Every structure is written in structure tokens, then in C-alpha cells.
Amino acid sequence: MSAPWDGAAIAGIGQTEFSQNSGRSERRLAVEAITTALADAGLTANDVDGLVTFDFDSNDPASVADTMGLRQLTFFSETMYGGGGGCSTIMQAAMAVASGSAEVVVAYRAMNERSGVRFGQARVSKRAIPAVIALSAPYGLHTAAQGFSLNIARYFHEHDVTNADVAPLAVAQRAYAATNPAARFFGRPITIDDHQSSRWIVEPVLRLYDCCLESDGAVAIVVTSADRARHLRNAPVAVRAAAQGLAGQQMRNWYRPSIGSVEETRVAGDRLWAASGLGPSDMQVAILYDHFLPMVLMQLEALGFCKPGEAKHFIADGNRTVAINTNGGLTGEAYLHGMNWITEAVRQLRGTAANQVRDVEHVLVTSGPGVPTSALVLARSERQT
Amino acid sequence: MSGEPVARSADVTVTADSDTAFYWDGTSQERLLAQRCGSCQRMWHPPGPVCPHCQCLEWSIDELSRQGTIYSVAKVHEPGSPIQGTHYLVALVEQADPQRPDESVRLACNIRGGDLSDCPIGAPVSLVFEPLAGDYRLPQFEVRK
């Protein structure tokens, strides 16, 4: 396989506060995050020639460009499949830079998902169910939690896992959130009992404390060439490898041979390891998408951190060789569909995280499993003064 | 609390398209139908224009068994559904290909006739149909206690 990629790096990150009601428009949130990220990189709007965001975002690149007065973009894109698309934004930005299609690409995500349209609510037209969901909606399979529950239930059955086995992970992530000032649950850790007595969302797989937050806020990330990033304000964070992963449907992944595993994450991970020449044991931190905590266990197995069925032991107290979800996660910090994932990875590699791990060289970041997904290996790199 | 069917599906219609029309037409006769590949002879579900095993575009239609086995199951507490209410069982039921018993297809459904403790993975279930508005009917499965 080819040598680890060294074409692009993350030069700046920015975000708004995360809240339950931002009190301002998503477009304004996007611009705030983008402006902050550019300032962090030591760049300005005039330097930007690329924009990339996810679908399920109301601010397409043209609206943002027009709002900010950006008039010369040579790369613009939206990545697919909602929460599976976060790492894809960095992948596409890095590809644009490496191919010479753009020099400074900003990836962004802005949503009032708590005060605005909420993904966790089931909305169905009662008159005519469209053909594409005719085999799920009539059965009350509307939301991600309802749909993924069938995958998680199968995983639990195949490997003798119960919801109680997930509790140590919830406690560990809320402990990280408790010491992260940006987190919704700053100052509010939980115990195993708190987790196990939280109410069922879908029994016997998902309790309230297994499910991610709904948040208002925005995140932006500036990607440029590795060479340029070395001469900007921060230690660059190199995009060492990037991949997407598609191994079936989105959200209704019930028909492929194995549904009790996150095959899409495995596909992406296999490509990351092959492309980078690295493996799970080279990662000091793993930021694994936790829209639903049981799927963190499934990702640990799919990525090769442990064998199938072993994740419940891997996450048990004191049994971890890699720090997981050090900002508190989507369940503890905020839910910006994984973009606040990538910023945490950047902070860990720069040495500026609230829960800083020692000697971080490589961080793995994943986007949403259960849908076509994406993942990154980010690496520490040096500035040139 | 047992999973009482809310039967709000009678208020709802489903839209069939050119790929799924045969399936929904079958439900109007209370038959559960699936495609069989003209080349590799394997069945598939959900309905689609091409065999997902070998990509062949030629296929015929066969009827699935009226018995199945629970492959995965869970009970939705919240946020619930405008169609199924709250505290309902969602499941995947596995049905063997009548001609090739080592192979199977899976259908998403609700389970009627019992609560979660009556419906472990592996439990046998039987096909039933519930009303929809219009001619189509909604395949469901019920557990035998």
C-alpha cells in the first residue's frame, strides 16, 4: 500500500457554545464558528477557497459563501448520510487540497437541533407512507434509536452482552464531561446505578443515558496543505488517513448477513489501517461516535481494538489501553454530529484538551455507525518557526 | 404492560412503487411474496430490481412461509409512534426459503400476542395480517405462548 498520506493538515478549529437554545439562526452559528476557526488558524475569510458541510444541514456552501462575502470558491461539497458524514468533510477537504483544487477549505456544521427540528422525534404523515419507508414506518420504526435497536439487540444476543455491560462506559464518558467546561454535563458525573435506573428508550438495549444529546451549536475546521499549516499559528494536525465505509443500507441495516456488528465501521477502519500502516495499538486516543453507547462497543470490535464480543471487558474499569471519548462524547459534551469529535481529536494532538492524555501521537476518529460512515487517523505534527 | 396493538395502521396507506408493487399486491390477498433470482435461484427481501447476490435482472415471485423465527426484538418505550403508539415490540423475523432451507430472508415487523419476555430471539412466530387504509394489508407476526 502507498505511504501514509502527508498532503493535508488541520490548521484551525472553532466552535460556538453548545446549548439547548442558541437563540440565533443556524446561519449565524455557522459564520461564528467559521470565523473563530479562521482566527485560530491565523487566516481570514479572504484566504478561503473551499467549503464543505454535511447534508441535513440547512446552510449549504453557497448560502454561507454569500453570507460571508466569499466570492472565489474552487471547491464546495456536501457529504452524505447525516451523522456518518463528519469525517467525510475532512476527507473531502484534504482531497481537494492534495489535488490542488483548493488551498484553504473550511468544513462546518451548524444546527439548532435542540431548539429547532429534533431528530429524536417521530414525524410521519398519517395519510400516505412513502414507498422507501413502507417496510419500516408502519411498524413504528421511525427514529435512529428504534431502527438501530434491532442491530444492537442482535449484537447483545450473539455475544451475551446486556445493557448493564455498557454502564462503565457511560460512567467514564460522563466523568470526562464532568471535567470539560464545554460539556453539557460539566460538573455532573453519574454512577453505574444512575445509568441502570435511567428509563428505557428501547428495551432491553437503550436507556436514556445511552443516547446522545440534542444540541444547538456550530463547529468549523480549517484544512490546508501540510506545508502551509506548518507556518500558521498552531501545531498542525496531519490527516494521516481518511476513509468512508458503506456496507449496507442507512438506518435500516437489517438485511445483510451480519447485523449485530457495525460492518460499515469495519470497512472504513480496514482501509485506514492499510493506508496508514498503523493499527489500533498506535492510537493513544479513540474518539468513537456515541449516538448510542452500545454502538461504541460494536465499533471497538469492528476497528480491531478487541475481538468480537470482548468489548464489554475492554471498557470495564481499569482495563483500557486507549482513552475513549475524552470530551464526554455526544452523550456528554454535545451533539454536533461528530464535528465536536474532530475538534477534540485536534485538541488532544495539540496538547490543549480539557482532559488531556499524555504523549498523544495518533488519534482515531469515527463518524456515525449504522449509516454509511467515515473515519480518520489524525497525527501530531510540528510547526516550522 | 403487554404490547396491545393500537391498530392505528388502519388510518394509514402505504405507497407502492414499480419495484414494490408485487409485494403490496400480495398483501391484499394476505400472501407474503418475495423475489427469486432467475440465475442463482436465491430469494431476497426487501423488494428490489436486481438480485443482490449476483446482480441478475431476471427474477420470479414466490410465496414465503407463514412461519418464522424471531431474529431480533426490542420494545419501544419512547418516543413512540403515531402509528403504533408506545410500548410496542419491533422485530426482525427470519423466514426460511421454502426451496432452500439453509437460506432465509428477514422481515421487519411488530410481534403480537406477548410481551418481551414471551418473545426471545429464536421463538417461533406465525404470520398474520392487519388492516391498512386501502386494499393493502400489513404483514405482522404473532408469538404462540
Side-chain angles (χ1 to χ4, degrees), chain A residues 120 126-129 131 134-135 137-140 142 146 150 153-154 157 199-203 254-257 259, chain B residues 11-13 15 17 23-24 46 71-75 77-81 83-84 88 92 106 108 110 121 138-140:
Chain A
K126 281 182 81 173
R127 275 173 303 194
I129 294 175
L135 295 175
Y139 301 114
H142 310 290
Q146 291 156 352
L150 292 172
R154 188 68 200 179
H157 171 78
R199 64 187 194 265
W200 285 118
I201 304 298
V202 185
E203 185 182 358
W254 308 315
Y255 306 108
R256 65 187 183 202
I259 71 163
Chain B
D11 295 337
V12 167
T13 60
T15 307
D17 63 21
Y23 176 87
W24 290 107
Y71 186 78
S72 185
V73 63
K75 181 172 179 177
H77 286 241
E78 58 181 88
S81 163
I83 300 171
Q84 293 296 338
Y88 54 93
L92 296 173
R106 291 179 214 132
N110 301 115
I121 289 177
L138 189 65
Q140 296 284 22

Side-chain angles (χ1 to χ4, degrees), chain A residues 106-126:
Chain A
V106 183
Y108 65 91
R109 175 56 154 179
M111 252 199 157
N112 282 330
E113 203 214 321
R114 174 68 185 189
S115 65
V117 170
R118 297 174 66 179
F119 288 167
Q121 308 289 300
R123 284 176 308 280
V124 167
S125 157
K126 281 182 81 173

Side-chain angles (χ1 to χ4, degrees), chain A residues 67-88:
Chain A
T67 298
M68 291 186 69
L70 307 178
R71 304 276 174 232
Q72 295 197 88
L73 296 193
T74 54
F75 171 73
F76 39 91
S77 183
E78 285 185 358
T79 65
M80 298 183 75
Y81 300 113
C87 292
S88 294

